[in-house]
Amino acid sequence: MSQDDRIESKRAPEPVGHYPHARRVGNLLFLSGVGPRERGSKKIPGVELDGQGNIVSYDIETQCHSVFRNVRYILEEAGSSWDRLVDVTVYLTNMKADFPTYNRLWAEYFQDNPPCRTTLEISRLPTPIAIELKCIATLGD
């Protein structure tokens, strides 16, 4: 693969490690894990942290809207779009508490032709967030 296959979004939050936002392979686009952080800051919409960086409270609905927006930014900058998502893996840190809200919002964002989806609960993510998405989309016809 060449450097030309790499996608670095100017609108999505900066990666927290050494990886691109996405890579093109043929007519497919593979996104790295995307969370709800905001570009250019440490701010995480819907998250309140204490002085040591521990989560005091969070709003999963706010985080869902933010992570969906960040995914859309990457897709659009790569030449794809929201309706071209074909497979999404969703990581939640609290399935019992957060799944109902996330599932309701998913249905609102994907009213027509939703992509395949797998939702997993994990104990934590690399930053103090409650949701992360791993996506595959198509590019052009």
Side-chain angles (χ1 to χ4, degrees):
M1 283 190 221
S2 71
Q3 291 285 68
D4 295 342
D5 298 328
R6 293 172 40 135
I7 305 298
E8 300 293 343
S9 172
K10 301 296 183 221
R11 296 187 294 168
E14 297 85 349
V16 295
H18 183 65
Y19 56 87
H21 283 114
R23 287 201 88 123
R24 289 184 193 99
V25 179
N27 74 334
L28 294 176
L29 183 67
F30 295 85
L31 275 65
S32 296
V34 179
R37 290 180 305 110
E38 290 184 347
R39 183 164 187 88
S41 78
K42 300 280 187 198
K43 183 175 181 336
I44 302 169
V47 176
E48 182 185 344
L49 302 174
D50 66 16
Q52 288 76 43
N54 299 308
I55 299 171
V56 173
S57 66
Y58 70 93
D59 178 346
I60 191 63
E61 185 160 350
T62 300
Q63 286 195 49
C64 285
H65 288 300
S66 185
V67 74
F68 290 164
R69 180 175 48 251
N70 288 338
V71 166
R72 190 182 304 264
Y73 287 159
I74 296 167
L75 292 169
E76 290 172 356
E77 288 183 73
S80 188
S81 60
W82 189 253
D83 62 331
R84 291 185 171 275
L85 283 167
V86 293
D87 189 53
V88 179
T89 303
V90 182
Y91 301 94
L92 296 174
T93 58
N94 189 335
M95 186 76 73
K96 185 176 182 181
D98 298 340
F99 185 81
T101 300
Y102 146 75
N103 202 40
R104 174 180 52 81
L105 292 171
W106 176 275
E108 291 174 14
Y109 276 80
F110 293 106
Q111 292 180 13
D112 300 315
N113 199 27
C116 294
R117 177 183 88 181
T118 301
T119 306
L120 305 164
E121 180 181 51
I122 60 172
S123 61
R124 56 183 297 139
L125 288 157
T127 59
I129 59 178
I131 185 171
E132 183 173 288
L133 271 59
K134 175 78 175 102
C135 306
I136 302 171
T138 59
L139 292 159
D141 290 327

